[in-house]
Amino acid sequence: MLPTIAWQDSDIVMIDQRKLPAAEVYVTCRSVNEVAKAIKTMVIRGAPAIGVCAAMGLALGAARSKATGTKQFTTEFQRNCELLASTRPTAVNLFWAIERMKQSFADGALAGESVDQLKSRLRITADGIHDDDVASCRAIGAHGAPLVPAEARILTHCNAGALATAGYGTALGVIRGAVEAGCKVSVLADETRPFLQGARLTAWELVKDGIDTTVITDNMAGAIMRQGGVDLVVVGADRIAANGDTANKIGTYTVAVLAQAHGIPFYVAAPWSTIDLATADGDAIPIEERDAREVTHVGSTQLAPEGASIRNPSFDVTPHQLITAIITDRGILRPPFIENLRA
Ligand code: MRU
């Protein structure tokens, strides 16, 4: 299994996802500020992974605190929560993990715990969030595998793999689960402009696992579907609203429309921490707009002229009507999503 994020002594180490696949470089974070920067700058990315990272960052920030009394320690903890919550707006897992850490802190404070006791409870809670994420991904894989035919050509978009989680992956968890169940699977990985998570990260993970993988540019998916080259689509999610509308990497909506036009099942795979029942529908999901340079340049090569306006919304919303089923760690949800998610 790939080491997305781990403790090394009392520091946090993560593989630098900006450098893959050209180089396998690790970044060490020694402070909560460094953890926040790593999330913002995409050293680590993927909804569940940034949630896990934020929880570990809060435990790290607490462990490094020089506060002697609970008052100052609490103020610092709250400031660290705000800092990490400001890094990226779309993936709800980030806010879910911070809330879990806040709840743990509140429980400890209510029980009258000392600063040292609070530090150790935050570390235990963060480690639990990490380990639960791997278990959730494995459960998603086990629930999703029966949806995959014995021989399947599967298209995926972005990276919802081990790198996007604490390990195993969500959409790639379904693919791994199907392979483990004996299915003969080949994967079409959309390259995923502009950050190229599909070409760089999904293909890297799957090739390492020995799973047959073909990288295509995003604009090839329709033609390949029309030729009958795709049996099903499975993608991850950054936030699933109460009615099933799903925010995921920009381009996912296009793939969903194409899948429906060609009668191909379109599955979303996500842990329960991605489901946001407090958000009524996709229109209420905040969509991150990232730096124009991700669009104008690939590495140091300029693609678009200066003077052109640039848009770079990092996510889009797939309306629930286009989703065949949502594969979660608790089982498979089918329409009507609004009733079934609530239940
Ligand atoms: O901008 P990113 O790379 O963080 O976006 C990642 C995605 O959109 C993933 O598909 C999503 O987070 C699910 S990861 C299991």
Side-chain angles (χ1 to χ4, degrees):
M1 197 176 290
L2 298 162
T4 310
I5 180 165
W7 292 106
Q8 193 173 67
D9 303 322
S10 54
D11 298 329
I12 298 172
V13 179
M14 48 192 108
I15 191 161
D16 189 342
Q17 301 195 27
R18 301 165 307 179
K19 303 271 165 66
L20 288 170
E24 289 182 31
V25 180
Y26 288 82
V27 169
T28 302
C29 294
R30 296 185 174 82
S31 68
V32 69
N33 287 338
E34 288 177 6
V35 171
K37 191 171 166 216
I39 296 174
K40 219 177 168 57
T41 60
M42 312 272 277
V43 170
I44 188 164
R45 31 65 51 200
I50 63 175
V52 168
C53 182
M56 291 171 71
L58 287 172
L60 175 81
R64 293 282 142 91
S65 171
K66 302 236 178 333
T68 45
T70 48
K71 193 156 179 273
Q72 193 195 339
F73 188 67
T74 306
T75 308
E76 283 179 18
F77 177 75
Q78 283 163 349
R79 207 175 46 222
N80 291 343
C81 289
E82 279 164 29
L83 172 70
L84 288 161
S86 71
T87 52
R88 296 193 73 191
T90 304
V92 76
N93 312 61
L94 178 72
F95 308 100
W96 171 89
I98 292 169
E99 276 314 308
R100 258 186 78 172
M101 293 296 284
K102 278 185 179 169
Q103 189 56 54
S104 174
F105 190 102
D107 291 346
L110 198 66
E113 289 180 5
S114 67
V115 166
D116 280 346
Q117 285 170 320
L118 288 168
K119 285 181 181 181
S120 69
R121 84 151 36 236
L122 289 172
R123 172 67 186 257
I124 290 165
T125 305
D127 289 349
I129 290 172
H130 178 285
D131 296 351
D132 286 354
D133 189 56
V134 181
S136 292
C137 288
R138 288 209 167 263
I140 289 167
H143 288 303
L147 297 174
V148 178
E151 285 199 23
R153 295 153 305 170
I154 304 178
L155 185 137
T156 190
H157 190 76
C158 193
N159 172 265
L163 289 166
T165 60
Y168 202 72
T170 57
L172 297 195
V174 172
I175 291 170
R176 290 191 165 100
V179 169
E180 284 166 22
C183 299
K184 190 171 176 296
V185 167
S186 60
V187 177
L188 282 164
D190 277 353
E191 71 169 351
T192 319
R193 278 277 294 156
F195 208 73
L196 306 177
Q197 288 95 332
R200 296 189 305 102
L201 308 176
T202 295
W204 182 76
E205 274 193 33
L206 294 177
V207 166
K208 264 191 184 270
D209 270 9
I211 296 173
D212 180 356
T213 305
T214 303
V215 176
I216 57 171
T217 62
D218 300 330
N219 51 1
M220 294 174 188
I224 296 174
M225 286 183 184
R226 187 157 179 268
Q227 290 157 3
V230 178
D231 298 307
L232 64 100
V233 176
V234 62
V235 297
D238 287 84
R239 192 186 295 232
I240 300 172
N243 69 345
D245 289 356
T246 294
N248 191 48
K249 181 52 54 196
I250 190 76
T252 303
Y253 170 56
T254 316
V255 175
V257 171
L258 285 169
Q260 188 176 64
H262 294 90
I264 297 165
F266 180 92
Y267 298 113
V268 170
W272 208 258
S273 53
T274 306
I275 293 168
D276 179 12
L277 295 178
T279 295
D281 58 35
D283 290 344
I285 299 176
I287 301 293
E288 177 181 12
E289 185 91 22
R290 291 189 63 85
D291 196 330
R293 196 182 158 91
E294 290 178 359
V295 175
T296 57
H297 288 68
V298 171
S300 57
T301 305
Q302 188 171 344
L303 303 178
E306 265 147 49
S309 300
I310 303 295
R311 287 289 318 274
N312 189 14
S314 194
F315 301 94
D316 60 26
V317 172
T318 298
H320 62 91
Q321 295 89 340
L322 299 179
I323 299 169
T324 310
I326 301 172
I327 307 163
T328 78
D329 43 328
R330 299 186 189 174
I332 295 171
L333 285 156
R334 291 191 184 270
F337 292 119
I338 195 151
E339 283 87 352
N340 291 341
L341 278 165
R342 206 181 301 132

